[in-house]
Amino acid sequence: MDEQITGKRFLAVTVLNVLITVVEIIGGLISGSLALLSDAFHNLGDSFSIVLGYVAQSIANKPETSKRTYGYRRAEILAAMVNAAFLIIVSAFLIIEAVKRIQQPTHINGEVMLTVAVVGLVANLLSAVLLHSGSHNNLNVKATYLHVLSDALSSFAVIIGGVILTFVNIPWLDPVLTIAVAIYIACEAWPVIKQTVTILMESAPKLDYNGIEQDLVKIDGVTAVHHVHAWMIDEKRIIFSAHLNCHDMKLSDVEKIYSQVDKILREKYGICHVTIQAEYHRGKDEDFFDTVVDEEHLIK
């Protein structure tokens, strides 16, 4: 990613999350707040997620090898999916426990709940600041950042509940706040799940394929484009391959066409890796996308 999140930042965020967890578990047991205990276990899971995110980032930065010719970029995508899936599971657990608490309400110590929640909010906001710079262009850091940000929102919701419960005894307020926060967490995590699955399934990225075809056939010497494939290594790196039908020409002239194609695809469409195969008549009647699998050429 453009701005690497350093190990020191990951360590600082991890330490903050562990401290928050300990404080909130103690505070939740003393106050009887389910929202506070839920937030504590959520923070504990975040500590694991942050460590996982840092490990994945370290693996992703390893160079390409003969076994991993595209490198280890997918490590961050896998970590992002695991982190987001964990958030969904935590959200479901919180909702189930909150429903049970609504059916069997207990007294909540609002003052203790409020104090601990304020401490948690400050620590979570500090963690979010540390991770913010890398959350815009990296799914792995974004998933970790969402963990921390959801904790901050959770703490804010608990603060509101703590203020109200300090003055008014409303037994159902604590579990209702828990459900609201859980739904928010799930809604934030779901798009990350969808995007990581899209990448891992090597679905085609959103590109203007009609525009690409038109731009390529405008190049002098190109007559048609077919057998196009496009996929993503991670959320930023798009891989593209295609067959070009060209006039009968020297290889040195074909290389000039390659340079033009590469420039167009990189500068206009943000494609980072381009593979082109030049042909004369072969495949000229084929479709832009090759949807037929040749079983004879599959690796057994």
Side-chain angles (χ1 to χ4, degrees):
M1 59 190 179
D2 296 333
E3 297 182 41
Q4 288 293 329
I5 300 300
T6 65
K8 290 182 178 180
R9 288 194 181 189
F10 268 111
L11 178 61
V13 173
T14 303
V15 171
L16 281 171
N17 269 269
V18 172
L19 290 175
I20 297 169
T21 300
V22 173
V23 172
E24 287 187 333
I25 287 177
I26 295 173
L29 293 174
I30 294 174
S31 66
S33 170
L34 175 62
L36 209 51
L37 285 172
S38 299
D39 197 34
F41 287 109
H42 187 197
N43 272 298
L44 183 63
D46 285 353
S47 299
F48 167 76
S49 299
I50 293 165
V51 172
L52 179 62
Y54 175 66
V55 171
Q57 186 186 86
S58 300
I59 294 173
N61 289 330
K62 289 183 177 181
E64 292 84 356
T65 67
S66 59
K67 290 185 178 180
R68 299 286 186 271
T69 56
Y70 281 116
Y72 293 79
R73 300 288 181 183
R74 289 279 173 88
E76 290 191 295
I77 303 303
L78 287 170
M81 184 174 67
V82 171
N83 280 341
F86 180 78
L87 281 174
I88 298 289
I89 294 171
V90 167
S91 299
F93 173 77
L94 294 181
I95 291 173
I96 292 171
E97 291 302 312
V99 170
K100 292 179 182 178
R101 182 63 67 89
I102 290 175
Q103 296 171 341
Q104 297 178 340
T106 60
H107 174 71
I108 307 297
N109 187 321
E111 293 180 356
V112 174
M113 178 181 174
L114 175 61
T115 303
V116 175
V118 170
V119 174
L121 177 62
V122 172
N124 279 310
L125 288 176
L126 180 57
S127 297
V129 169
L130 291 172
L131 293 173
H132 178 73
S133 62
S135 64
H136 299 294
N137 55 5
N138 185 286
L139 274 178
N140 175 42
V141 178
K142 182 179 180 180
T144 306
Y145 176 72
L146 284 176
H147 272 275
V148 174
L149 202 60
S150 65
D151 278 340
L153 178 67
S154 178
S155 295
F156 183 71
V158 175
I159 287 173
I160 295 175
V163 171
I164 296 174
L165 292 172
T166 299
F167 301 100
V168 184
N169 182 25
I170 307 177
W172 51 263
L173 180 60
D174 183 68
V176 167
L177 285 173
T178 302
I179 293 173
V181 171
I183 292 174
Y184 168 79
I185 293 171
C187 290
E188 288 295 307
W190 183 245
V192 177
I193 292 279
K194 288 177 64 178
Q195 191 172 359
T196 54
V197 169
T198 295
I199 293 172
L200 292 173
M201 290 297 294
E202 298 192 344
S203 301
K206 293 182 179 180
L207 294 171
D208 181 5
Y209 294 102
N210 289 330
I212 290 175
E213 183 175 16
Q214 292 172 13
D215 286 339
L216 295 187
V217 295
K218 287 179 182 177
I219 297 174
D220 187 30
V222 177
T223 59
V225 184
H226 65 277
H227 206 100
V228 169
H229 293 279
W231 67 100
M232 302 179 74
I233 295 298
D234 56 26
E235 70 275 21
K236 301 185 298 297
R237 294 170 177 80
I238 299 175
I239 311 299
F240 183 93
S241 68
H243 292 198
L244 298 183
N245 290 110
C246 303
H247 295 312
D248 196 4
M249 62 179 70
K250 295 186 296 183
L251 185 60
S252 57
D253 292 328
V254 173
E255 287 184 352
K256 295 177 183 178
I257 291 177
Y258 282 177
S259 297
Q260 294 180 66
V261 171
D262 189 72
K263 183 178 181 181
I264 290 172
L265 295 179
R266 286 179 182 273
E267 295 181 359
K268 187 173 181 178
Y269 298 98
I271 296 170
C272 71
H273 187 91
V274 179
T275 302
I276 299 297
Q277 178 174 315
E279 299 172 333
Y280 182 40
H281 282 304
R282 183 172 180 266
K284 195 168 186 177
D285 296 328
E286 291 184 9
D287 294 331
F288 184 72
F289 291 106
D290 179 39
T291 57
V292 179
V293 177
D294 187 351
E295 294 185 358
E296 292 182 2
H297 291 86
L298 292 177
I299 298 176
K300 301 299 183 181

